[in-house]
Amino acid sequence: MAARLGPHELLHVFSFLEARDLLSAAQVDKVWNEVSKTKELWRQLCLRRWSSSKASQVVLGTQKWRQYYLCRSELEFRMESGRPEKDFICRAISGHTGEIHGLSYISVSEYQFDGGKKSVVCTVSSDCTVRAWDLHEGVEIWSSPVQPAALVNLVTYPQLQLVVTVDERGLIKVWKAENGWECASFCLPTLSSALEACNHPEGPFLLAASAEGVLYVLTVPPLQVVSTVTLFPHHSVSLLCSPDHQWVFASVQDSDLSPKVLSTHTLLHPSEDEPPVCSTLPIRHSSRACWAPEEAARLTVMHKNDNSMQLVVTTYELGAQKSRDRMDILGKVPWQVCVSPPLQCDASSMGSQVSHGAFSSLQGLCLSRETKPCALFLKVKQIASFLLPDTTRPPHLMKGHGSQVILLVSGSELVLFTVHGLQLAAFQDHQRPIMAMWVDSSCVVTSSFDLSLRVYMWNKENKLPVLKSCYHLLGGSHSGFTHVESDSMSIVGVEARSTGTSILRVYHFRVQRGSEECVTDDGVTSRTNSHICRD
């Protein structure tokens, strides 16, 4: 009789198996069943499958590794399959009496399957209220008192469970996410053009830009002013904070004013004598921008070329390196700005003294400052640039994925490029223009006035990610979807109605206890074409 393998030998053999094989081995006998459930086997499978992406962290919670693997595999299977009632539950949630102007998840976007996670979003509306919603139960959690003016924007701090809103007059308020209590307020002198939440290593703060081009840096939650900087006088400013929260990109869309990148560290530690560390990019007429989510600070900007005839997509890299007497903004491009000693500018005009032509082909442009010789040395690194095809309509939406992929939306078309200009895919799944786009490490969801959301899933087995068009999620017979967002368990869209109001349309994906039928070695899923759910 052949000798049987002991538990230690079996464990070694099982370490070479994939999930499907382990599940099969568990059916052999009691010993194989016990060994196949060893924690380390499933831990390695989880980390190998999901921890390669910085944006896709493995958060175990109270679950075991095997349960986590099975549940997350089941979730991905159901998100790619998209079968109504079987894979997801659709709900229409109403409550606002006006148009919803913005929504954001307040629940932490983590894959937790131990029953402790709820999908919760907050919304602001022209009815002058901010509200919180439990998407799984399909109910309103709380609503604020009616505010003096319509609320037009919001950002959330999930780790702090705080919501920040701004109204059409520029009044900013902080709310507790669990009960809707107001914590603090601050009023801009004019209406707000942008809000950006920043979870800096030194502590969370808020960036608020006024319509007059002034940037306000506020503490969270007390909303105390840390610093103010006039970026683009008398212009509405757009803001984008980098994934590492060390930089903020500021621009005026379709203007001949060159966009700027500022160091958040120096915004948090203002000096009376010197403006914040800032670099003005050598481009004009910028229209869209995005950060690469899996890079600390890789910025892609869409702008017009020198003769303003063609659209160009240019990618830069930024970094910070502190030395004994200076901070370096590192780069690898044929231009740089070196601040050493007499740059005559203050916070109200910082960066504006550097002309566009000065960047042409300099390897080092030294600007002087009277007090601290060579106090700051700034460089920016261009790593790629390409012209958009002449046949491409000017994109109105732009997002980044991973470190190499850019998603552009022109009308009803979604197009994927690498940062070097290689077109990866093009989709025309909508009948009317795409109004919003959500992109994360597992999926892409687009919303349109054709009454549908379109779900795409990433396949990362190849060197470059491949995006698969999966299915439509149809709403009710109203105007269409204006916004869309997603977390690890749900998709939510804002559905506009002909009456001038909005509702939430929620698609909550079912995960039982991790069905073994949903586990395959290659993550294969099934697919359907169109799925309808109505009121």
Side-chain angles (χ1 to χ4, degrees):
M1 178 181 295
R4 292 172 57 89
L5 294 177
H8 293 292
E9 291 82 5
L10 280 176
L11 183 61
H12 177 72
V13 173
F14 286 1
S15 68
F16 298 97
L17 302 182
E18 296 295 337
R20 172 61 67 185
D21 302 320
L22 280 179
L23 294 174
S24 299
Q27 308 301 316
V28 174
D29 59 30
K30 182 178 180 181
V31 174
W32 282 45
N33 183 282
E34 291 178 354
V35 174
S36 71
K37 295 179 179 178
T38 302
K39 178 180 72 173
E40 186 60 24
L41 293 175
W42 291 96
R43 177 179 174 272
Q44 289 301 322
L45 285 173
C46 288
L47 297 179
R48 191 158 67 234
R49 181 167 176 180
W50 290 302
S51 68
S52 60
S53 168
K54 295 179 184 177
S56 179
Q57 300 298 320
V58 174
V59 181
L60 193 59
T62 62
Q63 308 147 98
K64 295 181 178 179
W65 285 103
R66 182 177 182 274
Q67 179 193 6
Y68 181 94
Y69 188 97
L70 295 178
C71 287
R72 187 161 175 180
S73 297
E74 179 184 352
L75 174 62
E76 291 183 354
F77 173 86
R78 298 197 183 283
M79 285 196 74
E80 190 164 351
S81 241
R83 298 163 295 182
E85 302 303 324
K86 188 169 186 179
D87 291 323
F88 65 82
I89 300 172
C90 177
R91 288 190 175 93
I93 311 176
S94 59
H96 280 298
T97 57
E99 294 182 6
I100 295 176
H101 289 155
L103 81 159
S104 181
Y105 279 88
I106 190 61
S107 50
V108 178
S109 183
E110 295 175 344
Y111 293 89
Q112 292 186 18
F113 308 100
D114 54 6
K117 182 182 185 303
K118 287 186 176 182
S119 292
V120 179
V121 298
C122 291
T123 55
V124 291
S125 169
S126 61
D127 66 8
C128 306
T129 65
V130 53
R131 305 181 187 223
W133 313 86
D134 184 328
L135 301 186
H136 184 251
E137 299 297 330
V139 296
E140 179 184 296
I141 301 174
W142 55 261
S143 173
S144 72
V146 175
Q147 299 301 295
L151 302 181
V152 294
N153 199 2
L154 83 164
V155 294
T156 56
Y157 295 82
Q159 299 294 346
L160 299 177
Q161 286 295 286
L162 294 174
V163 185
V164 180
T165 64
V166 64
D167 68 18
E168 61 186 2
R169 299 175 185 172
L171 178 61
I172 301 172
K173 289 190 175 183
V174 178
W175 312 83
K176 289 186 177 181
E178 55 268 352
N179 51 29
W181 289 358
E182 180 182 329
C183 301
S185 64
F186 175 83
C187 192
L188 297 171
T190 62
L191 60 89
S192 168
S193 64
L195 279 186
E196 189 77 0
C198 189
N199 291 295
H200 196 271
E202 298 182 41
F205 66 93
L206 177 71
L207 298 171
S210 73
E212 290 298 309
V214 180
L215 174 64
Y216 291 79
V217 183
L218 306 169
T219 58
V220 174
L223 293 183
Q224 296 176 345
V225 177
V226 177
S227 61
T228 61
V229 180
T230 300
L231 295 173
F232 304 100
H234 313 298
H235 288 83
S236 292
V237 180
S238 298
L239 301 173
L240 281 175
C241 197
S242 65
D244 67 355
H245 307 290
Q246 300 291 335
W247 312 102
V248 58
F249 174 77
S251 65
V252 178
Q253 290 188 3
D254 300 315
S255 166
D256 61 356
L257 296 172
S258 297
K260 300 175 181 179
V261 180
L262 297 92
S263 161
T264 56
H265 176 81
T266 55
L267 288 173
L268 289 173
H269 300 277
S271 168
E272 293 182 0
D273 302 324
E274 299 176 357
V277 172
C278 172
S279 180
T280 303
L281 301 184
I283 56 177
R284 297 181 185 273
H285 299 285
S286 60
S287 55
R288 298 290 180 268
C290 64
W291 296 93
E294 290 190 14
E295 297 292 333
R298 177 174 291 181
L299 173 69
T300 300
V301 185
M302 184 168 58
H303 59 96
K304 291 183 179 179
N305 60 2
D306 291 338
N307 59 17
S308 299
M309 296 297 292
Q310 288 183 285
L311 286 174
V312 184
V313 178
T314 303
T315 301
Y316 303 95
E317 274 192 355
L318 303 170
Q321 178 180 333
K322 291 183 180 179
S323 60
R324 198 168 62 183
D325 59 352
R326 72 186 187 186
M327 174 188 289
D328 295 343
I329 298 183
L330 303 177
K332 311 169 187 173
V333 77
W335 63 273
Q336 58 190 21
V337 178
C338 172
V339 179
S340 72
L343 174 61
Q344 302 296 331
C345 68
D346 56 22
S348 65
S349 60
M350 65 95 185
S352 63
Q353 312 299 346
V354 183
S355 67
H356 180 263
F359 293 104
S360 56
S361 59
L362 298 180
Q363 288 298 321
L365 169 64
C366 285
L367 304 176
S368 58
R369 179 172 294 158
E370 295 178 351
T371 54
K372 295 183 179 179
C374 207
L376 297 173
F377 184 75
L378 286 75
K379 293 195 294 184
V380 174
K381 173 182 179 180
Q382 178 182 311
I383 62 171
S385 186
F386 67 93
L387 290 172
L388 284 179
D390 292 334
T391 55
T392 303
R393 294 173 56 188
H396 61 279
L397 295 174
M398 180 178 184
K399 297 281 189 178
H401 171 75
S403 60
Q404 297 287 330
V405 178
I406 307 163
L407 297 90
L408 299 176
V409 170
S410 302
S412 59
E413 183 179 40
L414 170 64
V415 186
L416 278 67
F417 290 95
T418 67
V419 294
H420 297 282
L422 174 65
Q423 183 172 320
L424 301 176
F427 303 95
Q428 289 185 313
D429 294 313
H430 287 288
Q431 302 300 312
R432 297 187 64 185
I434 296 172
M435 303 302 296
M437 172 172 56
W438 172 263
V439 180
D440 62 24
S441 61
S442 61
C443 71
V444 174
V445 187
T446 54
S447 67
S448 172
F449 266 10
D450 64 4
L451 307 178
S452 76
L453 304 175
R454 186 73 184 179
V455 178
Y456 305 82
M457 298 294 292
W458 293 106
N459 183 339
K460 299 182 180 179
E461 294 180 0
N462 300 321
K463 185 175 181 180
L464 289 173
V466 175
L467 190 64
K468 298 186 294 182
S469 179
C470 296
Y471 54 89
H472 276 302
L473 294 169
L474 300 188
S477 54
H478 301 284
S479 298
F481 289 98
T482 58
H483 302 73
V484 65
E485 291 205 13
S486 177
D487 69 351
S488 57
M489 301 291 291
S490 62
I491 296 171
V492 56
V494 174
E495 185 179 312
R497 301 203 154 186
S498 56
T499 57
T501 61
S502 303
I503 66 167
L504 295 179
R505 182 75 60 172
V506 181
Y507 309 86
H508 197 278
F509 290 89
R510 296 176 179 271
V511 177
Q512 304 302 323
R513 289 177 296 177
S515 171
E516 295 183 3
E517 296 177 357
C518 300
V519 177
T520 60
D521 295 341
D522 57 0
V524 66
T525 61
S526 62
R527 182 182 309 155
T528 54
N529 293 323
S530 180
H531 304 297
I532 301 174
C533 79
R534 302 186 183 278
D535 296 323

